[in-house]
Amino acid sequence: AQKITQTQPGMFVQEKEAVTLDCTYDTSDPSYGLFWYKQPSSGEMIFLIYQGSYDQQNATEGRYSLNFQKARKSANLVISASQLGDSAMYFCAMREGLQGAQKLVFGQGTRLTINP
Amino acid sequence: ETGVTQTPRHLVMGMTNKKSLKCEQHLGHNAMYWYKQSAKKPLELMFVYNFKEQTENNSVPSRFSPECPNSSHLFLHLHTLQPEDSALYLCASSQVSTSGVTDTQYFGPGTRLTVL
């Protein structure tokens, strides 16, 4: 069974608009972490934001926020006031458990294109 | 140098060649990872090293041989590869605390490998 699902292969948004990238996950482990990474065409995976399963509040990092709905097992990324430089692939990832060097399971990604 | 660096950035090799990919992290982390990113597939974990010990081998064929001589360096030795091994190979590192809790993984820019 797929553990991370990103249902939007591609999204097109006008510059300065807000955008929401969807991510749903599946786990039976009560301790887990959710991550969003950005991958520009250069290839590097850039860490954006993290949400722990026990965190009471939604994570925020500058223009990025994570809409964490635990009961629905969703962890959507919201980018406010989008910029041309936000055009990239975006990956949602999950780490099950909090101990030791843990592997990340990634979704298929969403290609975001910001139009001027 | 800062963050995680990988060399070479691009590599073209024949199926009978032997080559090595190098990863170096300058973050003081103690865990390192190899991931493979093929076209149209999610990022896949290959190997995990925690305190220089291999803790995970995700059913990777023996033609890929990892080496972690110290906590800052990670190699991926390649021999008799197949054309389907062509992909972007990403290295990452993270910090695992003395209590065993692991932190965010930070990625290098990747090596784009083409096997002819």
Side-chain angles (χ1 to χ4, degrees), chain A residues 18-30:
Chain A
V19 56
T20 298
L21 305 182
D22 296 340
C23 173
T24 57
Y25 60 92
D26 182 29
T27 182
S28 56
D29 194 326

Side-chain angles (χ1 to χ4, degrees), chain A residues 44-87:
Chain A
E44 183 176 0
M45 297 286 277
I46 302 168
F47 166 69
L48 295 178
I49 197 166
Y50 166 78
Q51 180 86 41
S53 58
Y54 297 115
D55 293 343
Q56 296 295 314
Q57 296 193 338
N58 287 345
T60 59
E61 289 285 349
R63 293 187 300 113
Y64 304 108
S65 61
L66 201 151
N67 184 1
F68 182 45
Q69 298 189 43
K70 197 169 183 178
R72 298 176 65 178
K73 294 189 174 179
S74 75
N76 299 339
L77 176 70
V78 180
I79 306 174
S80 63
S82 57
Q83 303 170 356
L84 296 178
D86 294 332
S87 295

